[in-house]
Amino acid sequence: MAEPRDVLILTERDLRELVHLDHAAINVVEKAFAALASGKVVMPPILSMAIPEAHGEVDVKTAFIPGFEGFAIKVSPGFFDNPKLGLPSLNGLMILFSARTGLVEALLMDNGYLTDIRTAAAGAVAAKHLAPQTVDTAAVFGTGVQARLQMKAAHLVRPFRKLIVWGRDRAKTEACAADLAAELGIEVVAEPDGEKAVAESQLVVTTTPAREPILKAEWLHPGLHITAMGSDSPEKNEIEPEALARADLYVADRASQCETLGELRTAIEAGLWGAGQPVELGDIVAGKVEGRMSEDAITMCDLTGTGAQDTAIATFALGVAKAGGKGSKVAL
Amino acid sequence: MAEPRDVLILTERDLRELVHLDHAAINVVEKAFAALASGKVVMPPILSMAIPEAHGEVDVKTAFIPGFEGFAIKVSPGFFDNPKLGLPSLNGLMILFSARTGLVEALLMDNGYLTDIRTAAAGAVAAKHLAPQTVDTAAVFGTGVQARLQMKAAHLVRPFRKLIVWGRDRAKTEACAADLAAELGIEVVAEPDGEKAVAESQLVVTTTPAREPILKAEWLHPGLHITAMGSDSPEKNEIEPEALARADLYVADRASQCETLGELRTAIEAGLWGAGQPVELGDIVAGKVEGRMSEDAITMCDLTGTGAQDTAIATFALGVAKAGGKGSKVAL
């Protein structure tokens, strides 16, 4: 028997009280990206298991980041028949281990909440380092949770005056626009024409599970930054492959992941990617590579989601929980 | 926010009270091997991450087995500087998810206890299907936890009269022999000569972390079964590669794992494996392939440890805990 010790358990309710989509969360995720560029982060390929009988899948991500006291292992099940049972499709948890001893420190039973936050925070990091300094109008493609969170995050680093929401479903698009107008206190319009949405904007974030491009290469214009965060599997594709070749700068969150899970995959398959190893977001955050070269450049960032972000947000959440005396301890 | 629900937390103490190395545990692991042969088990490659700064590593294993209500994700950290800090090197936990909804059902904070049990149970499954029907004398190589558990498990399926313990360290060998004599109530001798230990035995289990062979091919004799369970990484090797070619039947727990982590690896590297795809233990358990062909045959089983065993033992543990009203519930 090991020596008795405590493990901290934080529920989704605890974590929603403790961790918010704010500058502190963005900073810790930015720090994780900078660490990725150091070459000293250990981030194994994602473990992925399909459970066809239940129309389910489960992904496991992890990363060790030097300088962070813990490392997280995140388990994300997605069971797509759950709504028929009155249950959410997505849930999951993170386990935080001491990076010094490998002992379990905390169980973050977040049902995906921390993933939502760290994903939106990565969008803010991309916008901070790649969007034009002045963004008057932003657009979001998609009307779900990430559409809302990405725009909230982007607005923290580029306080745009106007926001355009594009979606296929008119009612959902208008609901999302209304929510974001209330959240951000700015003008938000629902726009069924994607081309118009892009034409007006300096910053566009795509957040859909599209399997065929919803954003065309010919829509790209000088002074535009696009963050594509919807694709995270080999079937998804939001951006027309030609757009990657047409952009002045394409940036991957992690090149090895974007090649198989991101927008880069279809560009490679179409023979439209000739630039070799792409720049990674961490290289730009760390100052190793120049980001946006001018206000007129066209830039693009491909976010597939990294274990480094999970370790960052989990470590951050534990720190906040300890400081606030939150959570329940279980004696092992 | 998801609907409130409970998750069951079982500590190492709970699990040691609930789950024992007995026929019930062996049966559930045997069932997992049979399922592996069905081709319907989903078992992704092991996720493995090294943390060089802390002389640590962490492995994640999982498997979905049709017919089991849950699937486990097991996280096994090994931090080899821990003993200097007064902490155990190995610990870890299993998370049990519903195979129907992907929701977390239980957290099994076992610190590796369930792994110990399912590993020894696999040894018993191998002995049951591959050892000669009559085993008068058995030998174990190694003097650690698995040496003790493997012999306890093997004795349940082949109640041998005499046991020989081989180890490099005389004091540890004698301590292990004394423990096993008390546990099994039979004659147990410490033997520093490996050749003698094999010569006298019909069943040998190797349980060491050896990186150079400790069991030589020339020691093999008719009517012998060897289970090698010590190797689980690309640096380890317990059995001289020639022995695999010399055996009448070599059996892998999982061919794809044994090729890179087991004894099969060195045999392939030495050009001594020409038999193509090896038989798997599950094929024999399921009756698809004949096991031992005669009492005089020489057989060998290579155990690297499978996620299917983890799912089996975790599901079993949860069932026993629910029946006994054990564990503490945490409301999420």
Side-chain angles (χ1 to χ4, degrees), chain A residues 9 73 75 77 82 91 95 101-102, chain B residues 9 73 75 77 82 91 95 101-102:
Chain A
I9 299 190
I73 290 188
V75 185
N82 277 5
N91 52 85
I95 312 158
T101 66
Chain B
I9 298 189
I73 290 188
V75 185
N82 277 6
N91 52 84
I95 312 157
T101 65

Side-chain angles (χ1 to χ4, degrees), chain A residues 1 5 9 12 16 42 49-50 53-54 62 66 71 73 75 77 79 82 91 95 97 99-103 107 111, chain B residues 1 9 12 16 42 49-51 53-54 62 66 73 75 77 79 82 91 95 97 99-103 107 111:
Chain A
M1 285 286 298
R5 60 195 171 80
I9 299 190
E12 182 185 349
R16 284 185 183 272
V42 187
M49 177 167 74
E53 293 189 11
T62 188
F71 66 90
I73 290 188
V75 185
F79 278 62
N82 277 5
N91 52 85
I95 312 158
F97 295 85
R100 196 170 58 100
T101 66
L103 293 173
L107 299 165
N111 293 318
Chain B
M1 283 285 297
I9 298 189
E12 181 184 350
R16 283 185 183 270
V42 187
M49 177 167 74
I51 300 180
E53 291 189 13
T62 188
I73 290 188
V75 185
F79 277 62
N82 277 6
N91 52 84
I95 312 157
F97 296 85
R100 196 171 60 100
T101 65
L103 293 172
L107 299 164
N111 293 317

Side-chain angles (χ1 to χ4, degrees), chain A residues 37-74:
Chain A
S38 72
K40 289 181 181 165
V41 167
V42 187
M43 194 163 72
I46 299 164
L47 182 158
S48 193
M49 177 167 74
I51 300 179
E53 293 189 11
H55 197 194
E57 63 183 40
V58 57
D59 281 355
V60 182
K61 291 184 180 182
T62 188
F64 164 73
I65 312 176
F68 281 72
E69 287 181 12
F71 66 90
I73 290 188
K74 180 173 80 170

Side-chain angles (χ1 to χ4, degrees), chain A residues 12 86-88 111, chain B residues 1-6 332:
Chain A
E12 182 185 349
L87 296 168
N111 293 318
Chain B
M1 283 285 297
E3 287 296 299
R5 60 193 172 81
D6 288 338
L332 295 191

Side-chain angles (χ1 to χ4, degrees), chain A residues 91-330:
Chain A
N91 52 85
L93 76 163
M94 296 190 191
I95 312 158
L96 192 67
F97 295 85
S98 160
R100 196 170 58 100
T101 66
L103 293 173
V104 181
E105 302 219 313
L107 299 165
L108 313 179
M109 312 297 292
D110 69 322
N111 293 318
Y113 173 68
L114 293 178
T115 298
D116 286 344
I117 297 300
R118 66 77 151 148
T119 302
V125 173
K128 177 177 168 186
H129 291 276
L130 288 166
Q133 280 304 318
T134 303
V135 175
D136 177 75
T137 300
V140 65
F141 279 55
T143 60
V145 171
Q146 275 298 316
R148 290 160 169 85
L149 291 177
Q150 287 287 342
M151 287 301 104
K152 186 178 169 188
H155 197 258
L156 288 169
V157 298
R158 291 292 187 274
F160 40 83
R161 179 188 60 80
K162 182 183 172 186
L163 172 59
I164 303 170
V165 180
W166 175 90
R168 292 189 198 279
D169 181 294
R170 185 175 183 88
K172 286 182 185 168
T173 309
E174 286 176 355
C176 183
D179 287 351
L180 280 164
E183 171 80 37
L184 301 177
I186 61 172
E187 179 189 358
V188 184
V189 297
E191 171 56 66
D193 182 340
E195 183 171 5
K196 277 193 192 164
V198 174
E200 264 200 66
S201 302
Q202 297 83 50
L203 169 63
V204 175
V205 182
T206 60
T207 70
T208 75
R211 289 165 180 245
E212 298 291 336
I214 51 165
L215 196 155
K216 296 202 171 166
E218 67 191 43
W219 299 351
L220 268 56
H221 58 78
L224 175 67
H225 171 73
I226 298 171
T227 293
M229 60 68 56
S231 182
D232 57 357
S233 74
E235 308 81 35
K236 295 181 187 167
N237 177 210
E238 295 190 291
I239 311 292
E240 197 177 23
E242 288 80 358
L244 275 74
R246 194 174 291 194
D248 296 302
L249 177 64
Y250 164 88
V251 178
D253 60 353
R254 191 65 164 175
S256 55
Q257 290 188 188
C258 291
E259 285 166 4
T260 55
L261 308 175
E263 301 302 329
L264 184 54
R265 181 186 61 82
T266 40
I268 291 171
E269 286 172 7
L272 290 165
W273 179 257
Q277 180 74 2
V279 171
E280 293 190 346
L281 182 54
D283 295 329
I284 293 169
V285 172
K288 287 186 166 186
V289 175
E290 190 189 18
R292 167 166 291 272
M293 45 292 278
S294 79
E295 286 289 279
D296 282 344
I298 302 175
T299 54
M300 190 181 302
C301 187
D302 194 355
L303 299 178
T304 54
T306 66
Q309 289 160 258
D310 298 319
T311 281
I313 201 75
T315 308
F316 176 70
L318 179 61
V320 178
K322 279 183 174 173
K326 276 274 176 188
S328 51
K329 285 181 180 171
V330 170

Side-chain angles (χ1 to χ4, degrees), chain B residues 115-117 119-120 140 144-151 205 207 229:
Chain B
T115 298
D116 287 344
I117 298 300
T119 301
V140 65
V145 171
Q146 275 298 316
R148 288 161 170 85
L149 292 177
Q150 287 287 343
M151 287 302 103
V205 182
T207 68
M229 60 68 56

